[in-house]
Amino acid sequence: MSRFMRIFHHLIRSVVFLSVLSISSVHAAEKIDLIIDTDPGADDVVALLLALASPEQLNVLGITTVAGNVRLDKTSRNARLAREWAGREDVPVYAGAPKPLVRTPIYAENIHGQEGVTGVPIHEPAKGLEQANAVNYLIDTLRAAKPGSVTIAMLGPQTNLALALVQAPDITKGIREVVVMGGAHFNGGNITPVAEFNLYADPHAADVVLKSGVKLVYVPLDVTHKILTSDQRLKQIASLGNQAGKLVGDILNEYVKNDMAHYGLPGGPVHDASVIAYLLKPELFSGREVNLVVDTREGPTFGQTIADWYDTLKQPKNAFWVENGDAQGFFDLLTARLGRLQ
Ligand code: RIB
Ligand code: CA
């Protein structure tokens, strides 16, 4: 081959290589700037481990804690514990609202245990909380963020974000979307016959967020009750042979017992981790834009979410309602990411 042909051949190969590289970089999803607002909570801990094990996809800016499953001091301690178990003490934790906006506080120690995490021994984590309050952190971070750049994973009552929105309505500019674990439509609630715990624990906060106009995705019981543990799935996790696999196996073994007994199901949901899985692999889930309202009236429907799935009332669509999910795909993802941890 002449010298000219060798140079020409090399040139063609370089052009092909560079164009493939640029296409793959375009298709490689952008990293998500993420704030996780949470009330750990057994399933919150699993969600935090899944998120913190996925740094190439999720840039977790901070964790904000709220009272919910247990009181604020314990949800904050448990968020620090999850961070330590994930080996991610680089992520700051900010404590937020100690109680709901209006209603009397409720907790779920009967489900999550007195310490707020089932099935495993608890210790005081080495690294502490940040000084700033979570609400001020949300306001400062969202005001400083590029427009529409920050995603919020909302894993507990929405009190912190509601307080931030009341104090600084302009922060909606910095929010890309809020992905909420909460609500129930087709198959009823878990804390009352019609209401799901996170919405029931602070429906007024959910109403403030709903009316703020931020882009909302709801991951309700409608889908989390289709993504259930099984002996095989829990064995898959426990057999990872690392601390994270042992912790999650033990946490979930205990956590799912209540739901299995209550619903007579062969397994239990991992509610909050479904939100993180939605962010990591949205193709595992399906749903539709709906008009969503939350009932804040005292009485039997307090905290109920009404998702107009068939657009009966022809009202404006204000939330994407996730209704289905690939259960095995979820557990394969969870197991693989936990396998990355210590
Ligand atoms: O109803 C389930 C939700 O309430 C989950 O977020 C669980 O952690 C509790 O907060
Ligand atoms: Ca939670």
Side-chain angles (χ1 to χ4, degrees), residues 281-327:
K281 279 190 93 169
E283 62 273 22
L284 292 177
F285 299 88
S286 62
R288 68 174 67 155
E289 295 291 340
V290 298
N291 175 260
L292 175 64
V293 295
V294 56
D295 193 340
T296 58
R297 296 166 302 171
E298 293 292 337
T301 58
F302 186 65
Q304 180 176 8
T305 47
I306 298 94
D308 189 352
W309 184 257
Y310 297 105
D311 199 18
T312 308
L313 300 178
K314 302 285 181 264
Q315 291 300 302
K317 309 288 190 300
N318 56 355
F320 184 81
W321 190 260
V322 180
E323 185 266 341
N324 210 345
D326 172 350

Side-chain angles (χ1 to χ4, degrees), residues 39 41-44 69 112 155-157 181 190 196-198 221 255 271-272:
D39 64 334
D43 57 324
D44 303 70
N69 286 317
H112 295 264
L155 310 183
M181 192 282 134
N190 58 2
E196 177 279 325
F197 178 84
N198 286 337
L221 300 184
Y255 173 61
H271 304 286
D272 293 333

Side-chain angles (χ1 to χ4, degrees), residues 70 77 142 162 202 245 264 287-288:
V70 288
R77 188 267 322 275
L142 293 170
D202 198 341
R288 68 174 67 155

